[in-house]
Amino acid sequence: MSEKKTALVISAHAADFVWRCGGAIALHAEMGYEVTVACLSFGERGESARLWKEGKSLQEVKDIRHAEAEAAAEALGVHELVTFDLGDYPLHLSQDDKMKLVDVIRKVQPRFMLSHSQYDPYNTDHMYTTQIALEARMIAQAWGHNPGEKVLGAPQLYLFEPHQTEQMGWKPDTFLDITPVWDKKRAAMEHMNGQVHLWDYYTRVAQQRANHFKRNSGGQSGGRDCKYAEGFQSIFPRTVDEL
Ligand SMILES: [Zn+2]
């Protein structure tokens, strides 16, 4: 494991990291983690409807979304925002693109990773990204890939909450209290001007997850109050010294 505290978010589109794990990013940044966010696309075609309705060109939409993502990342305390600009709807990665993502993983050496739900029939870019994240994680662990580089350990891959939660087969097993950094998440969401309709929606989601946190926190978190939380589903088992 890296000496430095690091984390990596792999986000299909420019704003996903804000809605789905902005609280986790801000919280860990405050704990001294260097959180890197890899955005595979700007969500320019599929998640920028308002900008298209205003008559913006493709390049204008991308530039606006890029600037919004940069502003949101700054509000959350992101260490580095890596933009791949691979296009969306559909998102597709060539073999070279995948290897660039592997390079990012090996450079960051994350203690944990975050990406989308494994199933998302509304947005195949999302589930494709998770498949790519798993593939890239696997390659980064391989001693035979670019021998001499530092191989990746076994960071957890947490799946953050999708839109249309119940349709995605997404079942959270981890709730993170993000109350202390809620103002940062809300500020980051408000940088995403192309998706104003989601600001209040994701505020309500955080309040609902806070209820789940409280309902389950008696033994593990002292039963304390929680106003905002994020839920995650972990892919890999947790290895512990004590239950
Ligand atoms: Zn998305």
Side-chain angles (χ1 to χ4, degrees):
M1 189 184 284
S2 167
E3 297 291 311
K4 264 190 307 191
K5 294 198 283 187
T6 52
L8 175 65
V9 182
I10 302 179
S11 181
H13 311 111
D16 288 311
F17 72 93
V18 179
W19 318 119
R20 315 193 185 292
C21 62
I25 293 170
L27 195 71
H28 287 83
E30 284 195 359
M31 287 183 220
Y33 278 73
E34 291 183 354
V35 184
T36 298
V37 176
C39 277
L40 301 184
S41 78
F42 298 115
E44 61 268 24
R45 292 187 191 277
E47 297 181 3
S48 308
R50 210 187 90 179
L51 299 172
W52 289 106
K53 287 175 192 168
E54 289 171 2
K56 299 278 194 294
S57 69
L58 177 62
Q59 193 56 50
E60 285 172 325
V61 173
K62 283 170 68 169
D63 290 346
I64 291 167
R65 294 283 287 177
H66 193 172
E68 288 178 351
E70 292 276 8
E74 189 171 341
L76 297 172
V78 167
H79 175 67
E80 186 180 6
L81 179 70
V82 182
T83 55
F84 280 71
D85 191 12
L86 298 173
D88 68 330
Y89 285 64
L91 173 68
H92 177 74
L93 273 73
S94 68
Q95 195 70 1
D96 281 351
D97 298 329
K98 288 180 190 175
M99 294 311 155
K100 283 183 196 144
L101 185 59
V102 173
D103 290 344
V104 170
I105 294 173
R106 280 199 167 172
K107 181 178 152 216
V108 173
Q109 294 286 328
R111 288 196 181 186
F112 65 88
M113 298 168 63
L114 289 153
S115 198
H116 297 261
S117 59
Q118 280 190 294
Y119 178 61
D120 189 340
Y122 294 85
N123 196 317
T124 58
D125 287 0
H126 289 169
M127 58 183 184
Y128 176 68
T129 295
T130 308
Q131 185 57 40
I132 294 291
L134 284 166
E135 196 178 334
R137 179 185 180 278
M138 176 190 77
I139 297 166
Q141 290 178 317
W143 284 85
H145 175 74
N146 292 345
E149 285 184 6
K150 185 177 181 188
V151 299
L152 181 70
Q156 181 61 266
L157 176 63
Y158 289 106
L159 310 182
F160 44 59
E161 180 154 0
H163 209 52
Q164 318 287 355
T165 305
E166 290 78 4
Q167 268 70 51
M168 310 301 188
W170 178 86
K171 190 173 175 186
D173 54 27
T174 306
F175 292 103
L176 181 69
D177 181 1
I178 60 164
T179 310
V181 294
W182 174 253
D183 289 349
K184 289 185 180 179
K185 177 163 182 178
R186 179 75 196 199
M189 292 200 295
E190 291 184 7
H191 281 299
M192 309 315 293
N193 287 305
Q195 292 166 293
V196 175
H197 60 292
L198 294 180
W199 298 357
D200 286 338
Y201 178 84
Y202 279 101
T203 298
R204 293 195 301 273
V205 169
Q207 288 168 335
Q208 296 286 9
R209 296 307 172 209
N211 189 56
H212 294 161
F213 180 98
K214 284 192 283 189
R215 180 65 184 80
N216 291 281
S217 67
Q220 299 171 65
S221 301
R224 68 169 189 270
D225 193 24
C226 172
K227 289 191 168 58
Y228 301 96
E230 286 172 343
F232 301 97
Q233 178 182 341
S234 41
I235 290 279
F236 301 101
R238 200 170 271 272
T239 53
V240 298
D241 296 310
E242 184 181 337
L243 291 177

